[in-house]
Every structure is written in structure tokens, then in C-alpha cells.
Amino acid sequence: MTDTLTTTTPLADDVRAALQACGVDLSVVGGDAQVASPITGEPLIGARLDTVADIDAAVGRAAEAFPAWRDTPAPLRGQLVKRWGELLTEHKEHLATLVTAEVGKTPSEARGEVQEMIDIADLAVGQSRQLFGKTMPSERPGHRLQEVWHPLGVVGVISAFNFPVAVYAWNTALALVCGDTVVWKPADAARLSAIAVDALLAKAVSEAGAPKGIHQLLLTDADGSRKLVEDPRVALVSATGSVRMGREVAPAVAARFGRTLLELGGNNGAIVAPSADLDLALRGVVFAAAGTAGQRCTTLRRLFVHSSVADQLTKRVVAAYESLAVGDPREDGVLVGPLVNQRSYEAQQAALAAAREQGGTVLAGGDRELADAHPDAYYVRPAVVSMPDQTAIVHEETFAPILYVMTYDDLGEAIALHNAVPQGLSSAIFTTDQGEAERFLSSAGSDCGIANVNIGTSGAEIGGAFGGEKETGGGRESGSDAWKAYMRPSTQTVNYSGQLPLAQGVTFI
């Protein structure tokens, strides 16, 4: 994949240096598909988009490389991922620079995202020696019954802008140790990060002597994504994005009997009980709701506060929001960077207008800032909105920093309100009452894939499986037994008895 510098501003110079440090060749002129920085709105580097023929060829290369990679012993596959992790560590600052430039994360958050890549590589290396099956007792004498896991095939990864590189690594590190090959379609807003990450993986592949075709990068648009989704050679499509996107991907893959791993909408909620440590709750709420300018899938968007502490906590949240430093994420002390583009800003403004119409009161934030200094960038102060109840707009996930605050009197009521939305990714309760905590974590409590006590909704660790229920899609990535999504189980029976007894006592001859 080739690309070219189209502007010589300092930000673009940083991007050029980071790309070159990661081994990307910028000498060949690329195309007109611009990547602009949400920090200033300026174009960074133009990239050549793949054609339909390019996409077909990329999937073909991955499919052709699969048999050789499938037959490579899993611990050797793990050594490739180990080397990739070492290169990611070596180039952590370069990759963080690209993430900040492309999606507007603060350097601290950008480094944290790259660290997630390093962490999942570490986990996957260990997993390469632990692709465990099972041995079950057979009812027939002289028989062995077992379950073995085999590589699945080509894995297509479609990632979103808000975590432009970490989610790819979650999928790819595991898919590679499981013996699969990978085709990646990154977010349009984050093509440069993808190019750098792919270059580092290519270096690891070369050094490890692995088949060259095991990873493929596609720089394409929505039509190109559709080609990847519909290709019968792609055994699994792992897609991160909106519920709308998931509604298109899931039936298209199902129509050809492929598999999907979906990470879709969040609309996450948290409950603050009367026993909560309010200092702890305040920090957890503000970081989860305002961090990354509200553009995480695990961002806190709904807050249910017990009526006995609602006024006190709400006032403290509003004060904290008003003190947040909003601006260029590269500047010291800035905690909230820009929205990714104008559409996100417009979506936020539309949601705030709807909230007002539905009886809500905007207590803080919501206004655009720094427009004179950066007319092509969209900085907003995170908004706190007091809602009389959970109205229609609260049921929708707006991918921008809006925190809806509501009150409750009974924990059962709060859990019911929390679970009433169609999304089911992450959830939290702040309480020092063990009974309340256990009730929230029970099957009668949170209906989300992630449930936390005394921490916010964001900040998942690599060791646990990540994903959610309902309209979130049901997928699981990262730790625990998420690796099984990238493999196929084979139930096997070995008869060493010399006889041919049938199961269930059936007689035939």
C-alpha cells in the first residue's frame, strides 16, 4: 500500500516521521483519499484506495496462505506474534503519535491503546500453547471421545475509528496463533495507523519466515467492506461499529453461512447507590463519561443516582465538567480532545435538542469551543443533562459526550431502568453494600456483557473477554476463551476395541 504527503504542517511532519520509523515507504505517490486530523481539520496524507480487483486478490492471497499457516505448529505461530509484540513495544510512541493525529486521543490514551496491542500479543503467545480441547468418557467400551479445535480459515476484521489499532490486535493476535489468516479493513479516519501497524506485522512475518499472505490490509470504502463481508472465502467477519452497520453485516454473512463476531452499540449505564463512596464515584463517572470525548464504545452515557445523594453528586459532576481542559490533545493538561468530525458534532447537538424537547435540562457543556482557532475541527465541552425519566433519546446511543442523569429510589427500579435499553455492553454500580453489589452482578442484575463494581464502565483489561449482549451483538474478543471464535471444534471418536458397539444401545447387525 502506498501513500503520499500532501501538506507540510508540523502535525503532518510528525505523522511522516512516525510512519517512516515504522518502516512505511512514502516514496511512491498515493491517491486522493485524504486522511484529515480532527485536531486541526488539516489533511495529513493521501492514500490509494483498493479496487474491487485488489480486494479480491487480497482475500485470495490470505486464502492461499491459510493451509501452510494452519499446518504450522501453534507454538511457532505464537513466536510470530511474540515478535510483533516486541516491534509494537519498540514503536509504541510512533504508533501513539499516529493515533493522536488521526482520531484526536490524548497522548496518554493513545499510548494506552497501543499498550493494549502489546498486552494482547503477550496473552496470545501464551494462548498458542493452550488451545485446549477436552476428553469425555464414552459410553462404549474401548472408545475415546474427544473435542479438538482446528483453525477456522480467513478472518475479516472491520475496525472502527475510536480504537483504530487495539481492536485489530485483539482479533489478529488471537487469529494468528489459532492458525487463521487475516484481512483487515480499518476505519476510513484511521488509515495511517493501520498502514504503520501492518508494516510492523510484515516485518515480524519476514523475520519469522511465516507465509507472506497471512495478513492483508485493505484501504477501501463501504462498498469495499461489503465485498469483504460477502466473500465466501472469509470464514469469520469480526466487525466493530454501529448497530446499523451490524444489521447489514450479520444477515449478509449469515446468507452464506459464515460466522460473525460483532461489537456494536453500547449506551452504557451506571448506578450510584446511597452507600457509595462519592469521591470514588465522581472520578469513575467523569473518566468513563468524558474520556476520549465520549467516543468509546464503553463510554458512560446514563447515570442513575439514588435520590438521597443525587443533588450532591450531580453538582460535583457538573463542577468537574466545567473544569475539564478541552483542546488540542497534544497540549499538557488537556483531558478532552476533539470529536472525530462534523457529523459527530451535529449528532450531539441533535441529541441535546431532543433531550430538551423531552423534558431534559442541560446542566453543563454541550457548546462548541475553539471554533475561531480551529474552524475545521470540532471541540465540545462534555454535556451533563438532567432527565426526568428515561425518554426516547436516552434509549439511543449518541457517539458524543453526553451524560444523562436520572434518579431512583429502589435498586430494583434502577436495575430495571438500566436494562431497559436495547444495548448491553458495559455497566457499573458504585456501592459499599455487598448485597447491592452481588444483586447487580447476579443473573437478575445487569444484563450486559461487562458488569463492574466501584469502577466505571470503561477500562476493560485484556485478560477478560470483551463484548456485550442484545444489540451490542453478542461477540467476545480479547481474553478468557474468546480464542474459540477463531477456531472450529471437532468432536472425535476413536474406537480401539476391535468391536463395533453403537451408542444408546442401538443394534444393527
Side-chain angles (χ1 to χ4, degrees):
M1 190 59 56
T2 57
D3 28 75
T4 183
L5 192 68
T6 56
T7 182
T8 57
T9 62
L11 183 59
D13 287 345
D14 291 343
V15 166
R16 173 196 281 273
L19 287 168
Q20 291 179 321
C22 292
V24 177
D25 181 7
L26 299 179
S27 62
V28 181
V29 174
D32 296 327
Q34 295 291 337
V35 174
S37 174
I39 297 173
T40 60
E42 69 187 76
L44 296 172
I45 288 179
R48 174 180 61 82
L49 293 187
D50 289 306
T51 65
V52 171
D54 292 330
I55 297 168
D56 181 73
V59 176
R61 288 190 294 270
E64 290 169 7
F66 171 65
W69 189 237
R70 173 196 63 199
D71 296 339
T72 300
L76 295 183
R77 301 194 295 250
Q79 290 305 300
L80 164 63
V81 175
K82 179 180 180 180
R83 179 57 185 146
W84 188 36
E86 292 170 347
L87 290 171
L88 293 173
T89 303
E90 180 182 340
H91 294 282
K92 182 176 179 177
E93 289 299 324
H94 300 131
L95 294 174
T97 293
L98 293 170
V99 170
T100 292
E102 285 194 292
V103 302
K105 289 189 176 184
T106 65
S108 174
E109 288 183 296
R111 292 187 196 102
E113 176 167 357
V114 180
Q115 186 62 47
E116 285 192 43
M117 304 178 74
I118 297 165
D119 291 345
I120 193 63
D122 286 345
L123 183 145
V125 173
Q127 191 71 69
S128 70
R129 294 181 180 271
Q130 300 182 83
L131 301 175
F132 295 132
K134 298 177 181 177
T135 299
M136 292 79 76
S138 173
E139 67 182 69
R140 291 169 286 184
H143 285 62
R144 175 161 51 85
L145 185 62
Q146 65 185 19
E147 173 189 88
V148 177
W149 291 83
H150 294 305
L152 188 60
V154 178
V155 173
V157 179
I158 300 173
S159 57
F161 81 88
N162 60 326
F163 279 88
V165 292
V167 172
Y168 169 67
W170 290 0
N171 285 273
T172 301
L174 290 178
L176 288 176
V177 300
C178 288
D180 302 325
T181 57
V182 181
V183 180
W184 180 22
K185 193 281 176 187
D188 295 351
R191 293 179 177 133
L192 306 182
S193 302
I195 291 169
V197 168
D198 187 68
L200 294 176
L201 181 52
K203 184 176 181 180
V205 166
S206 176
E207 293 178 358
K212 292 183 178 179
I214 63 173
H215 67 107
Q216 300 292 318
L217 175 64
L218 298 180
L219 301 188
T220 183
D221 54 16
D223 289 336
S225 297
R226 193 171 297 109
K227 293 292 183 183
L228 179 64
V229 165
E230 295 173 350
D231 197 312
R233 295 170 294 181
V234 179
L236 168 69
V237 174
S238 176
T240 302
S242 65
V243 174
R244 178 194 58 77
M245 181 269 287
R247 293 191 193 282
E248 296 178 3
V249 170
V253 177
R256 58 177 181 80
F257 297 101
R259 299 187 188 184
T260 56
L261 194 167
L262 300 176
E263 299 288 0
L264 308 175
N267 201 10
N268 313 290
I271 298 169
V272 179
S275 67
D277 178 336
L278 294 188
D279 291 335
L280 181 69
L282 176 66
R283 294 195 300 273
V285 166
V286 173
F287 174 74
T292 322
Q295 298 173 117
R296 293 195 198 103
C297 48
T298 55
T299 290
L300 176 61
R301 307 194 186 281
R302 299 174 300 130
L303 184 63
F304 304 97
V305 189
H306 193 271
S307 57
S308 64
V309 294
D311 287 345
Q312 181 183 357
L313 181 63
T314 301
K315 289 177 181 177
R316 295 182 67 180
V317 171
V318 168
Y321 267 49
E322 290 175 343
S323 70
L324 290 173
V326 177
D328 187 326
R330 298 170 297 174
E331 295 180 1
D332 291 341
V334 169
L335 298 176
V336 180
L339 295 176
V340 70
N341 54 33
Q342 182 177 352
R343 287 196 308 277
S344 294
Y345 170 71
E346 292 172 348
Q348 186 205 39
Q349 296 305 302
L352 291 174
R356 292 186 181 98
E357 291 174 0
Q358 294 169 24
T361 302
V362 178
L363 303 177
D367 297 326
R368 186 177 177 187
E369 300 188 1
L370 306 174
D372 291 339
H374 300 293
D376 296 320
Y378 292 87
Y379 293 87
V380 294
R381 182 160 298 278
V384 180
V385 183
S386 174
M387 297 298 292
D389 51 36
Q390 191 160 242
T391 63
I393 190 60
V394 182
H395 280 246
E396 299 178 13
E397 180 185 35
T398 302
F399 220 64
I402 303 175
L403 177 63
Y404 300 110
V405 181
M406 292 152 280
T407 62
Y408 77 94
D409 293 308
D410 173 74
L411 182 59
E413 172 196 3
I415 292 174
L417 287 169
H418 176 277
N419 293 349
V421 298
Q423 310 87 356
L425 178 55
S426 187
S427 59
I429 187 171
F430 291 90
T431 179
T432 56
D433 184 314
Q434 185 69 21
E436 289 182 326
E438 294 295 339
R439 185 176 174 186
F440 182 75
L441 297 175
S442 74
S443 60
S446 168
D447 63 357
C448 295
I450 299 170
N452 300 325
V453 175
N454 292 327
I455 62 172
T457 55
S458 58
E461 294 186 33
I462 289 300
F466 180 92
E469 300 301 318
K470 302 188 292 188
E471 287 189 358
T472 302
R476 292 298 185 274
E477 297 171 319
S478 190
S480 187
D481 62 351
W483 61 271
K484 291 182 178 179
Y486 307 92
M487 304 194 82
R488 59 178 181 86
S490 173
T491 301
Q492 304 172 349
T493 303
V494 178
N495 177 9
Y496 57 91
S497 69
Q499 305 298 317
L500 194 63
L502 300 178
Q504 292 85 45
V506 174
T507 58
F508 183 65
I509 296 178

